[in-house]
């Protein structure tokens, strides 16, 4: 336990981890400034499928953390029952045909850990969740998880920032690239390419896919397996789908205003090229193919039109597990880096703020410490 009393914090990144942590610290009376290179949610949080779940198989600590994350969203949903940006209408998933189909194994595992799951034939799906073209469901059937949901992260971030500002928190945007200032072996602030300098007791690095390379600037190693992601937002249409669909060729998530968010790993692999200057070139024929795949799984096979396309890194640590907490080689330096940023968004902010403000380590984060990569190296 640290004897240092934390009165101020600088957070780099105005995505869900940065804003959630900032709000939790502000609730504890800490003076917080969030610094971002552009507007809020301009990074990975703005192009996340944002499916709230702990489906399939993962380590027990990771599952428990995700379930705690979902719990916090349920509390939020109960307080904002009319919110069109946070819904719990379930999730439906099925696999491709063939030996790799893991639906029966996944259902058995989810049942064994008490995760609410129903193994449905294609004929039974309509009674559990409307809006699906059941002809697309493969012979082993699908798993419907009624406790799952979705959130629109930019809208959530805007909601959290309202309270953050009311508590005296400061958001500074359009600062360009930021770097952590380390003096006499301790993190003491942040400097940006715009020339701004901010000082505080602690610094939190919450820049999504940029966390590993930014930590490396201070000589720290964080394993990184970040791929490129592509998220398509559709124009509004009248359609009954309410659940999140995770299928062999496409994932589809309802979104506010009668729109859909759509992604698939193959679409990012085939449809995005990184140019020499670091910008992205999008193959729009692949985007159209992705829309056709989405139409195939939707009842009525509607024509889907592109409203916007988001492209960039999808934060995934090298071992797939969250990276959260203090960088112990440099006092005052904390990080938050993980896949499933939506599911973990509220709980990570809560637990990280607890550690920063109290100087105590939270047991739920015990296996997710950043130094595990240094130890392996």
């Amino acid at each position: 336990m640290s004897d240092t009393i934390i009165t101020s914090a600088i957070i780099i990144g105005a995505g869900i981890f940065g804003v959630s942590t900032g709000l939790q610290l502000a609730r504890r009376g800490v003076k917080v400034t969030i610094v971002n290179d552009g507007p809020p949610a301009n990074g990975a949080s703005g192009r996340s499928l944002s499916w709230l779940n702990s489906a399939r198989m993962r380590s027990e600590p990771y599952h428990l953390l995700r379930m705690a994350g979902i719990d916090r969203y349920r509390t939020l949903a109960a307080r904002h029952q009319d919110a069109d940006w946070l819904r719990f209408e379930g999730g439906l998933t099925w696999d491709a045909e063939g030996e790799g189909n893991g639906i029966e194994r996944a259902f058995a595992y989810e049942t064994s850990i008490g995760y609410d799951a129903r193994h449905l034939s294609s004929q039974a799906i309509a009674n559990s969740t409307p809006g699906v073209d059941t002809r697309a469901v493969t012979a082993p059937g699908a798993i419907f998880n009624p406790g799952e949901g979705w959130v629109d992260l930019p809208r959530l971030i805007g909601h959290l920032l309202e309270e953050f500002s009311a508590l005296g928190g400061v958001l500074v945007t359009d600062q360009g690239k930021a770097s952590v200032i380390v003096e006499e072996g301790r993190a003491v602030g942040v400097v940006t390419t715009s020339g701004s300098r901010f000082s505080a007791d602690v610094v939190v690095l919450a820049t999504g896919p940029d966390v590993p390379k930014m930590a490396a600037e201070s000589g720290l190693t964080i394993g990184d397996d970040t791929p490129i992601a592509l998220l398509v937002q559709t124009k509004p249409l009248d359609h009954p789908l309410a659940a999140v669909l995770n299928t062999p060729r496409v994932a589809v998530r309802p979104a506010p205003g009668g729109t859909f968010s759509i992604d698939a790993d193959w679409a990012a692999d085939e449809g995005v090229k990184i140019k020499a200057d670091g910008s992205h070139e999008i193959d729009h024929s692949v985007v159209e193919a992705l829309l056709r795949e989405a139409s195939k799984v939707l009842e009525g096979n509607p024509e889907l039109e592109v409203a916007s396309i988001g492209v960039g890194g999808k934060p995934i640590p090298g071992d797939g597990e969250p990276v959260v907490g203090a960088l112990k080689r440099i006092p005052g330096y904390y990080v938050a880096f993980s896949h499933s940023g939506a599911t973990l968004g509220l709980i990570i902010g809560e637990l990280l703020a607890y550690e920063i403000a109290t100087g105590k380590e939270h047991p739920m984060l015990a296996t997710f410490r950043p130094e595990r990569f240094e130890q392996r190296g």
Side-chain angles (χ1 to χ4, degrees), residues 242-318:
V244 180
L245 302 184
N246 189 12
T247 82
R249 290 285 293 171
V250 66
V252 182
R253 189 252 300 167
T259 65
F260 289 118
S261 297
I262 300 169
D263 77 359
D265 290 343
W266 64 266
D269 293 341
E270 298 176 16
V272 180
K273 293 182 180 178
I274 302 177
K275 301 189 331 190
D277 62 359
S279 63
H280 301 105
E281 180 179 335
I282 300 172
D283 184 339
H284 288 276
S285 68
V286 174
V287 173
E288 290 301 319
L290 179 63
L291 291 179
R292 289 194 295 272
E293 293 291 345
S295 178
K296 290 177 184 177
V297 302
L298 294 175
E299 179 183 290
N301 307 129
E303 182 177 351
L304 301 173
E305 299 181 79
V306 175
S308 64
I309 302 173
V311 177
K314 178 191 293 185
I316 299 182

Coordinates of all heavy atoms in Angstrom, one line a residue, residues 242-318:
A242 N -33.4 -7.3 -32.5 CA -33.1 -6.6 -31.3 C -31.8 -7.2 -30.6 O -31.1 -6.5 -29.9 CB -34.3 -6.7 -30.3
A243 N -31.5 -8.4 -30.9 CA -30.4 -9.1 -30.3 C -29.1 -8.8 -31.1 O -29.2 -8.4 -32.3 CB -30.6 -10.6 -30.2
V244 N -28.0 -9.0 -30.5 CA -26.7 -9.0 -31.2 C -26.5 -10.3 -31.9 O -26.7 -11.4 -31.3 CB -25.5 -8.7 -30.3 CG1 -24.2 -8.7 -31.1 CG2 -25.7 -7.4 -29.5
L245 N -26.1 -10.3 -33.2 CA -25.8 -11.6 -33.9 C -24.3 -11.7 -34.1 O -23.6 -10.8 -34.6 CB -26.5 -11.6 -35.3 CG -28.0 -11.4 -35.3 CD1 -28.5 -11.5 -36.8 CD2 -28.7 -12.4 -34.4
N246 N -23.8 -12.9 -33.8 CA -22.4 -13.2 -34.0 C -22.4 -14.5 -34.8 O -22.6 -15.6 -34.3 CB -21.7 -13.4 -32.7 CG -20.2 -13.6 -32.9 OD1 -19.7 -13.3 -34.0 ND2 -19.5 -14.0 -31.8
T247 N -22.1 -14.4 -36.1 CA -22.3 -15.5 -37.1 C -21.0 -15.8 -37.8 O -20.0 -15.0 -37.6 CB -23.4 -15.2 -38.1 OG1 -22.8 -14.4 -39.2 CG2 -24.6 -14.5 -37.5
P248 N -20.9 -16.9 -38.5 CA -19.6 -17.2 -39.1 C -19.0 -16.1 -40.0 O -17.8 -16.0 -40.1 CB -19.9 -18.5 -39.9 CG -21.0 -19.1 -39.2 CD -21.9 -18.0 -38.7
R249 N -19.8 -15.4 -40.7 CA -19.3 -14.4 -41.7 C -19.6 -12.9 -41.3 O -19.0 -12.0 -42.0 CB -20.0 -14.7 -43.1 CG -19.5 -16.0 -43.7 CD -18.1 -15.8 -44.3 NE -18.1 -14.9 -45.5 CZ -17.0 -14.5 -46.0 NH1 -15.8 -14.9 -45.6 NH2 -17.0 -13.7 -47.1
V250 N -20.3 -12.7 -40.3 CA -20.6 -11.3 -40.0 C -21.2 -11.2 -38.5 O -21.8 -12.1 -38.1 CB -21.6 -10.7 -41.0 CG1 -23.0 -11.4 -40.9 CG2 -21.8 -9.2 -40.8
A251 N -20.9 -10.1 -37.9 CA -21.5 -9.7 -36.6 C -22.4 -8.5 -36.9 O -22.0 -7.6 -37.5 CB -20.5 -9.5 -35.5
V252 N -23.6 -8.5 -36.3 CA -24.6 -7.5 -36.5 C -25.1 -7.0 -35.2 O -25.6 -7.9 -34.4 CB -25.7 -7.9 -37.4 CG1 -26.7 -6.7 -37.7 CG2 -25.2 -8.4 -38.7
R253 N -25.1 -5.7 -34.9 CA -25.6 -5.2 -33.6 C -26.5 -4.0 -33.9 O -26.2 -3.1 -34.6 CB -24.4 -4.7 -32.8 CG -24.8 -4.4 -31.4 CD -24.8 -2.9 -31.1 NE -23.5 -2.2 -31.3 CZ -23.4 -0.9 -31.3 NH1 -24.5 -0.2 -31.2 NH2 -22.3 -0.3 -31.5
P254 N -27.7 -4.1 -33.3 CA -28.6 -3.0 -33.4 C -28.0 -1.7 -32.8 O -27.1 -1.8 -31.9 CB -29.9 -3.4 -32.6 CG -29.8 -4.9 -32.6 CD -28.4 -5.2 -32.6
A255 N -28.4 -0.6 -33.3 CA -27.8 0.7 -32.8 C -28.9 1.7 -32.8 O -30.0 1.5 -33.4 CB -26.7 1.1 -33.8
P256 N -28.7 2.8 -32.1 CA -29.7 3.9 -31.9 C -30.2 4.4 -33.3 O -29.5 4.4 -34.3 CB -29.0 5.0 -31.2 CG -27.9 4.3 -30.4 CD -27.5 3.2 -31.3
G257 N -31.5 4.7 -33.3 CA -32.1 5.3 -34.5 C -32.4 4.3 -35.6 O -32.5 4.7 -36.8
G258 N -32.5 3.0 -35.3 CA -32.9 2.0 -36.3 C -31.7 1.7 -37.2 O -32.0 1.2 -38.4
T259 N -30.5 1.9 -36.8 CA -29.3 1.6 -37.6 C -28.7 0.3 -37.1 O -29.1 -0.3 -36.1 CB -28.3 2.7 -37.5 OG1 -27.8 2.8 -36.2 CG2 -28.9 4.0 -37.9
F260 N -27.7 -0.2 -37.9 CA -27.0 -1.4 -37.4 C -25.5 -1.1 -37.5 O -25.0 -0.4 -38.3 CB -27.2 -2.6 -38.4 CG -28.6 -3.2 -38.2 CD1 -29.5 -3.2 -39.3 CD2 -29.0 -3.8 -37.0 CE1 -30.8 -3.7 -39.2 CE2 -30.3 -4.3 -36.9 CZ -31.2 -4.3 -38.0
S261 N -24.7 -1.7 -36.6 CA -23.3 -1.8 -36.6 C -22.9 -3.1 -37.1 O -23.4 -4.1 -36.5 CB -22.7 -1.4 -35.2 OG -23.0 -0.1 -34.8
I262 N -21.9 -3.2 -38.0 CA -21.6 -4.5 -38.7 C -20.1 -4.6 -38.8 O -19.4 -3.6 -39.1 CB -22.2 -4.5 -40.1 CG1 -23.7 -4.4 -40.0 CG2 -21.8 -5.8 -40.8 CD1 -24.4 -4.2 -41.4
D263 N -19.6 -5.8 -38.4 CA -18.1 -6.0 -38.6 C -17.9 -7.5 -38.9 O -18.7 -8.4 -38.7 CB -17.3 -5.5 -37.5 CG -17.3 -6.3 -36.2 OD1 -17.9 -7.4 -36.2 OD2 -16.6 -6.0 -35.3
A264 N -16.6 -7.8 -39.3 CA -16.2 -9.2 -39.5 C -14.6 -9.1 -39.7 O -14.1 -8.2 -40.3 CB -16.8 -9.8 -40.7
D265 N -13.9 -10.0 -39.1 CA -12.5 -10.0 -39.2 C -12.0 -10.1 -40.6 O -11.1 -9.4 -41.0 CB -11.9 -11.2 -38.4 CG -12.1 -11.0 -36.9 OD1 -12.3 -9.9 -36.4 OD2 -11.9 -12.0 -36.1
W266 N -12.7 -11.0 -41.4 CA -12.2 -11.1 -42.8 C -12.3 -9.8 -43.6 O -11.5 -9.6 -44.5 CB -13.0 -12.3 -43.5 CG -14.5 -12.0 -43.7 CD1 -15.5 -12.4 -42.9 CD2 -15.1 -11.2 -44.7 NE1 -16.7 -11.9 -43.3 CE2 -16.5 -11.2 -44.5 CE3 -14.6 -10.6 -45.9 CZ2 -17.4 -10.6 -45.3 CZ3 -15.5 -10.0 -46.7 CH2 -16.9 -9.9 -46.4
A267 N -13.4 -9.0 -43.3 CA -13.6 -7.8 -44.0 C -12.4 -6.8 -43.7 O -11.9 -6.1 -44.6 CB -14.9 -7.2 -43.6
A268 N -12.0 -6.8 -42.5 CA -10.8 -5.9 -42.1 C -9.5 -6.4 -42.8 O -8.8 -5.7 -43.3 CB -10.6 -5.8 -40.6
D269 N -9.4 -7.8 -42.8 CA -8.2 -8.3 -43.4 C -8.1 -8.1 -44.9 O -7.1 -7.8 -45.5 CB -8.1 -9.8 -43.2 CG -7.9 -10.2 -41.7 OD1 -7.5 -9.3 -40.9 OD2 -8.3 -11.3 -41.3
E270 N -9.3 -8.2 -45.6 CA -9.3 -8.1 -47.0 C -9.6 -6.7 -47.5 O -9.2 -6.4 -48.7 CB -10.4 -9.0 -47.6 CG -10.2 -10.5 -47.3 CD -11.3 -11.4 -47.8 OE1 -12.1 -10.9 -48.6 OE2 -11.4 -12.6 -47.4
G271 N -10.2 -5.9 -46.7 CA -10.7 -4.6 -47.2 C -9.9 -3.4 -46.7 O -10.3 -2.3 -47.1
V272 N -8.9 -3.6 -45.9 CA -8.1 -2.4 -45.4 C -6.7 -2.6 -45.7 O -6.1 -3.6 -45.3 CB -8.4 -2.2 -43.9 CG1 -7.6 -1.0 -43.4 CG2 -9.9 -2.0 -43.6
K273 N -6.1 -1.6 -46.3 CA -4.6 -1.6 -46.5 C -4.0 -0.4 -45.7 O -4.6 0.7 -45.7 CB -4.3 -1.5 -48.0 CG -4.7 -2.7 -48.8 CD -4.2 -2.5 -50.2 CE -4.6 -3.8 -51.1 NZ -4.3 -3.6 -52.5
I274 N -2.9 -0.6 -45.1 CA -2.2 0.5 -44.4 C -1.2 1.1 -45.4 O -0.3 0.5 -45.8 CB -1.5 0.0 -43.1 CG1 -2.6 -0.6 -42.2 CG2 -0.8 1.2 -42.4 CD1 -1.9 -1.2 -41.0
K275 N -1.4 2.4 -45.6 CA -0.5 3.1 -46.6 C 0.8 3.5 -45.9 O 0.9 3.4 -44.6 CB -1.2 4.3 -47.2 CG -2.5 3.8 -47.9 CD -3.2 4.9 -48.7 CE -3.2 6.3 -48.4 NZ -4.1 7.1 -49.1
A276 N 1.8 4.0 -46.6 CA 3.1 4.3 -46.1 C 3.0 5.4 -45.0 O 3.8 5.4 -44.1 CB 4.0 4.7 -47.2
D277 N 2.1 6.3 -45.1 CA 2.0 7.4 -44.2 C 1.2 7.0 -42.9 O 0.9 7.8 -42.1 CB 1.4 8.6 -44.8 CG 0.0 8.4 -45.3 OD1 -0.6 7.3 -45.2 OD2 -0.6 9.4 -45.9
G278 N 0.7 5.7 -42.9 CA 0.0 5.2 -41.7 C -1.5 5.3 -41.9 O -2.3 4.8 -41.0
S279 N -2.0 6.0 -42.9 CA -3.4 6.1 -43.2 C -4.0 4.8 -43.7 O -3.2 3.9 -44.1 CB -3.7 7.3 -44.1 OG -3.2 7.1 -45.4
H280 N -5.3 4.7 -43.8 CA -5.9 3.5 -44.3 C -6.6 3.7 -45.6 O -7.3 4.7 -45.9 CB -6.9 3.0 -43.3 CG -6.4 2.8 -41.9 ND1 -6.5 3.6 -40.9 CD2 -5.6 1.8 -41.4 CE1 -5.9 3.2 -39.8 NE2 -5.3 2.0 -40.1
E281 N -6.5 2.7 -46.5 CA -7.2 2.6 -47.8 C -8.2 1.5 -47.7 O -7.9 0.4 -47.4 CB -6.2 2.4 -48.9 CG -6.9 2.3 -50.3 CD -5.9 2.1 -51.4 OE1 -4.7 2.4 -51.2 OE2 -6.3 1.5 -52.4
I282 N -9.5 1.9 -47.9 CA -10.6 1.0 -47.8 C -11.0 0.5 -49.2 O -11.3 1.3 -50.1 CB -11.8 1.6 -47.1 CG1 -11.4 2.1 -45.7 CG2 -13.0 0.7 -47.0 CD1 -12.4 2.9 -45.0
D283 N -11.2 -0.8 -49.3 CA -11.7 -1.4 -50.5 C -13.2 -1.5 -50.4 O -13.7 -2.3 -49.6 CB -11.1 -2.8 -50.7 CG -11.6 -3.5 -52.0 OD1 -12.6 -3.1 -52.6 OD2 -10.9 -4.5 -52.5
H284 N -13.9 -0.6 -51.1 CA -15.4 -0.5 -50.9 C -16.1 -1.7 -51.5 O -17.3 -2.0 -51.1 CB -15.9 0.8 -51.5 CG -15.5 2.0 -50.7 ND1 -16.2 2.4 -49.6 CD2 -14.4 2.8 -50.8 CE1 -15.5 3.4 -49.0 NE2 -14.5 3.7 -49.7
S285 N -15.5 -2.5 -52.3 CA -16.1 -3.7 -52.8 C -16.2 -4.7 -51.6 O -17.2 -5.5 -51.6 CB -15.4 -4.3 -54.0 OG -14.1 -4.8 -53.6
V286 N -15.2 -4.7 -50.8 CA -15.3 -5.6 -49.6 C -16.4 -5.1 -48.6 O -17.1 -5.9 -48.0 CB -13.9 -5.7 -48.9 CG1 -14.0 -6.5 -47.6 CG2 -12.9 -6.3 -49.8
V287 N -16.5 -3.8 -48.5 CA -17.6 -3.3 -47.6 C -18.9 -3.7 -48.2 O -19.8 -4.1 -47.4 CB -17.5 -1.7 -47.6 CG1 -18.7 -1.1 -46.8 CG2 -16.2 -1.3 -46.9
E288 N -19.1 -3.6 -49.5 CA -20.4 -4.1 -50.0 C -20.6 -5.6 -49.8 O -21.7 -6.0 -49.5 CB -20.4 -3.7 -51.5 CG -20.5 -2.3 -51.9 CD -21.7 -1.6 -51.3 OE1 -22.8 -2.2 -51.3 OE2 -21.6 -0.5 -50.7
A289 N -19.5 -6.4 -49.9 CA -19.7 -7.8 -49.6 C -20.1 -8.0 -48.2 O -20.9 -8.9 -47.9 CB -18.3 -8.5 -49.9
L290 N -19.5 -7.2 -47.3 CA -19.9 -7.3 -45.8 C -21.4 -7.0 -45.6 O -22.1 -7.7 -44.9 CB -19.0 -6.4 -45.0 CG -19.3 -6.4 -43.5 CD1 -19.0 -7.8 -42.9 CD2 -18.4 -5.3 -42.8
L291 N -21.9 -6.0 -46.3 CA -23.3 -5.6 -46.2 C -24.2 -6.8 -46.7 O -25.2 -7.1 -46.1 CB -23.6 -4.4 -47.0 CG -23.0 -3.1 -46.4 CD1 -23.3 -1.9 -47.3 CD2 -23.4 -2.8 -45.0
R292 N -23.7 -7.4 -47.8 CA -24.5 -8.6 -48.3 C -24.5 -9.7 -47.3 O -25.6 -10.4 -47.1 CB -23.9 -9.0 -49.6 CG -24.2 -8.0 -50.8 CD -23.9 -8.7 -52.1 NE -22.5 -9.0 -52.3 CZ -21.5 -8.2 -52.8 NH1 -21.9 -7.0 -53.1 NH2 -20.3 -8.6 -52.9
E293 N -23.4 -10.0 -46.6 CA -23.4 -11.0 -45.6 C -24.3 -10.7 -44.5 O -25.0 -11.6 -43.9 CB -22.0 -11.2 -45.1 CG -21.0 -11.8 -46.1 CD -21.3 -13.2 -46.5 OE1 -22.0 -13.9 -45.8 OE2 -20.7 -13.7 -47.5
A294 N -24.4 -9.4 -44.1 CA -25.3 -9.0 -43.0 C -26.7 -9.2 -43.5 O -27.6 -9.6 -42.7 CB -25.0 -7.5 -42.6
S295 N -27.0 -8.8 -44.7 CA -28.4 -8.9 -45.2 C -28.9 -10.4 -45.2 O -30.0 -10.7 -44.9 CB -28.5 -8.4 -46.6 OG -29.8 -8.5 -47.1
K296 N -27.9 -11.3 -45.4 CA -28.3 -12.7 -45.5 C -28.8 -13.3 -44.1 O -29.6 -14.2 -44.1 CB -27.1 -13.6 -45.9 CG -26.7 -13.4 -47.4 CD -25.5 -14.2 -47.7 CE -25.0 -14.0 -49.1 NZ -23.7 -14.7 -49.4
V297 N -28.3 -12.7 -43.0 CA -28.7 -13.2 -41.7 C -29.9 -12.5 -41.1 O -30.4 -12.8 -40.1 CB -27.5 -13.2 -40.7 CG1 -26.4 -14.0 -41.3 CG2 -27.1 -11.8 -40.4
L298 N -30.4 -11.4 -41.8 CA -31.5 -10.6 -41.3 C -32.8 -11.0 -42.0 O -32.8 -11.2 -43.2 CB -31.2 -9.1 -41.6 CG -30.0 -8.5 -40.8 CD1 -29.8 -7.1 -41.3 CD2 -30.3 -8.6 -39.3
E299 N -33.8 -11.1 -41.2 CA -35.1 -11.5 -41.8 C -35.5 -10.5 -42.9 O -35.4 -9.3 -42.7 CB -36.2 -11.4 -40.6 CG -37.6 -11.7 -41.0 CD -38.5 -11.5 -39.8 OE1 -38.4 -12.3 -38.9 OE2 -39.3 -10.5 -39.8
G300 N -36.0 -11.1 -44.0 CA -36.4 -10.2 -45.1 C -35.2 -9.8 -46.0 O -35.4 -9.2 -47.1
N301 N -34.0 -10.1 -45.6 CA -32.8 -9.8 -46.4 C -32.8 -8.3 -46.9 O -32.8 -8.1 -48.1 CB -32.6 -10.7 -47.6 CG -32.6 -12.2 -47.1 OD1 -33.4 -13.0 -47.6 ND2 -31.8 -12.5 -46.1
P302 N -32.9 -7.4 -46.0 CA -33.1 -6.0 -46.4 C -31.8 -5.4 -47.1 O -30.7 -5.9 -46.9 CB -33.3 -5.2 -45.1 CG -32.6 -6.1 -44.1 CD -32.8 -7.5 -44.5
E303 N -32.0 -4.4 -47.9 CA -30.9 -3.8 -48.6 C -30.3 -2.8 -47.5 O -31.0 -1.9 -47.0 CB -31.3 -3.0 -49.8 CG -30.2 -2.3 -50.5 CD -30.6 -1.6 -51.8 OE1 -31.7 -1.8 -52.2 OE2 -29.7 -0.9 -52.4
L304 N -29.0 -2.9 -47.3 CA -28.3 -2.1 -46.3 C -27.4 -1.1 -46.9 O -26.7 -1.4 -47.9 CB -27.5 -3.0 -45.3 CG -28.2 -4.1 -44.6 CD1 -27.3 -5.0 -43.9 CD2 -29.2 -3.5 -43.6
E305 N -27.5 0.1 -46.4 CA -26.7 1.2 -47.0 C -25.7 1.7 -46.0 O -26.0 1.8 -44.8 CB -27.6 2.3 -47.5 CG -28.6 1.9 -48.5 CD -29.4 3.1 -49.0 OE1 -28.9 4.0 -49.7 OE2 -30.6 3.2 -48.5
V306 N -24.5 2.1 -46.4 CA -23.5 2.6 -45.6 C -23.8 4.1 -45.1 O -24.0 4.9 -46.0 CB -22.1 2.6 -46.2 CG1 -21.0 3.2 -45.4 CG2 -21.7 1.1 -46.6
A307 N -23.7 4.3 -43.8 CA -23.7 5.7 -43.3 C -22.3 6.2 -43.0 O -22.0 7.3 -43.2 CB -24.6 5.8 -42.1
S308 N -21.5 5.3 -42.4 CA -20.1 5.6 -42.1 C -19.3 4.4 -41.9 O -19.8 3.3 -41.7 CB -20.1 6.5 -40.8 OG -20.6 5.7 -39.7
I309 N -18.0 4.5 -42.0 CA -17.1 3.4 -41.9 C -16.0 3.9 -40.9 O -15.4 4.9 -41.0 CB -16.4 3.0 -43.2 CG1 -17.5 2.6 -44.2 CG2 -15.4 1.9 -43.0 CD1 -17.0 2.4 -45.6
G310 N -15.7 3.0 -39.9 CA -14.7 3.3 -39.0 C -13.5 2.3 -39.1 O -13.8 1.1 -39.2
V311 N -12.3 2.7 -39.2 CA -11.2 1.8 -39.4 C -10.1 2.2 -38.4 O -9.8 3.4 -38.2 CB -10.6 2.0 -40.8 CG1 -9.4 1.1 -41.0 CG2 -11.7 1.5 -41.9
G312 N -9.4 1.2 -37.9 CA -8.3 1.4 -37.0 C -8.0 0.2 -36.2 O -8.6 -0.9 -36.4
G313 N -7.0 0.3 -35.3 CA -6.6 -0.8 -34.5 C -7.7 -1.3 -33.5 O -8.4 -0.4 -32.9
K314 N -7.8 -2.6 -33.3 CA -8.7 -3.2 -32.3 C -7.8 -3.6 -31.1 O -7.0 -4.5 -31.3 CB -9.5 -4.3 -32.8 CG -10.3 -5.0 -31.8 CD -10.9 -6.4 -32.3 CE -11.8 -6.2 -33.5 NZ -12.5 -7.5 -33.9
P315 N -7.9 -3.0 -30.0 CA -6.9 -3.3 -28.9 C -7.0 -4.8 -28.4 O -8.1 -5.2 -28.0 CB -7.3 -2.4 -27.7 CG -8.1 -1.3 -28.4 CD -8.8 -1.9 -29.6
I316 N -6.0 -5.5 -28.6 CA -5.9 -6.9 -28.1 C -4.5 -7.2 -27.5 O -3.5 -7.1 -28.3 CB -6.2 -7.9 -29.2 CG1 -7.6 -7.7 -29.7 CG2 -6.1 -9.4 -28.6 CD1 -8.0 -8.7 -30.8
P317 N -4.4 -7.4 -26.2 CA -3.1 -7.7 -25.6 C -2.5 -9.0 -26.2 O -3.2 -9.8 -26.8 CB -3.4 -7.8 -24.1 CG -4.6 -7.0 -23.9 CD -5.4 -7.2 -25.2
G318 N -1.2 -9.2 -26.0 CA -0.5 -10.3 -26.6 C -1.0 -11.6 -26.2 O -0.9 -12.6 -26.9

